């Protein structure tokens, strides 16, 4: 085994230390979570800046667009890709949910910056 495993970041889901590279993704063998190294840095990089799915810097009050359909517990349809969310607030949320917002038809909720892009 090489020393490369010590250079890879721990799993953002379970904090497992045995992550490995599989193509362009990092994979955690303990929980099965897969993620992009750019996404891990982009969510809250070393500079503390929160970035969207394509790398744009987000700020309080921005308008963002959801880039993929999200399942919402209790809703038959969920939040569809392309939904605009206005006046976001950046927070230090739970499980990577770093955007606090209000979505028409769903109410107040938190989103991950990796599923939105700046409008």
């Amino acid at each position: 085994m090489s020393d490369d495993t010590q250079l890879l970041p721990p799993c953002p889901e379970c904090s497992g230390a045995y992550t490995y590279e599989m193509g362009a993704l990092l994979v955690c063998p303990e929980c099965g979570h897969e993620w992009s190294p750019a996404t891990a840095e982009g969510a809250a990089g070393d500079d503390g800046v929160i970035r969207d799915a394509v790398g744009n810097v987000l700020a309080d009050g921005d308008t963002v667009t959801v880039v993929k359909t999200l399942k919402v517990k209790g809703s038959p349809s969920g939040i569809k890709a392309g939904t605009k969310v206005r006046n976001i607030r950046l927070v230090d949320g739970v499980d990577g949910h770093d955007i606090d917002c209000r979505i028409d038809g769903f109410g107040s909720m938190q989103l991950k910056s990796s599923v939105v892009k700046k409008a």
Side-chain angles (χ1 to χ4, degrees):
M1 207 176 226
S2 68
D3 290 335
D4 291 340
T5 56
Q6 294 174 352
L7 299 175
L8 297 174
C11 175
E13 293 292 314
C14 71
S15 301
Y18 301 108
T19 58
Y20 63 91
E21 292 182 84
M22 184 172 68
L25 296 176
L26 295 177
V27 180
C28 176
E30 295 177 30
C31 70
H33 180 65
E34 298 178 355
W35 72 100
S36 167
T39 303
E41 293 171 8
D46 293 336
D47 55 1
V49 175
I50 297 176
R51 299 178 186 272
D52 66 3
V54 293
N56 297 320
V57 176
L58 296 174
D60 286 343
D62 281 348
T63 298
V64 295
T65 304
V66 177
V67 295
K68 71 178 198 176
T69 301
L70 304 172
K71 294 180 183 176
V72 177
K73 193 183 281 187
S75 170
S77 62
I79 300 170
K80 298 197 184 294
T83 302
K84 282 199 174 192
V85 181
R86 291 170 172 56
N87 198 21
I88 65 168
R89 284 188 336 216
L90 303 178
V91 295
D92 187 21
V94 178
D95 292 332
H97 294 82
D98 45 14
I99 296 175
D100 198 17
C101 62
R102 180 174 171 82
I103 300 176
D104 293 336
F106 293 95
S108 296
M109 62 177 43
Q110 291 188 338
L111 298 173
K112 292 183 179 183
S113 59
S114 61
V115 298
V116 300
K117 70 176 182 178
K118 198 169 186 175

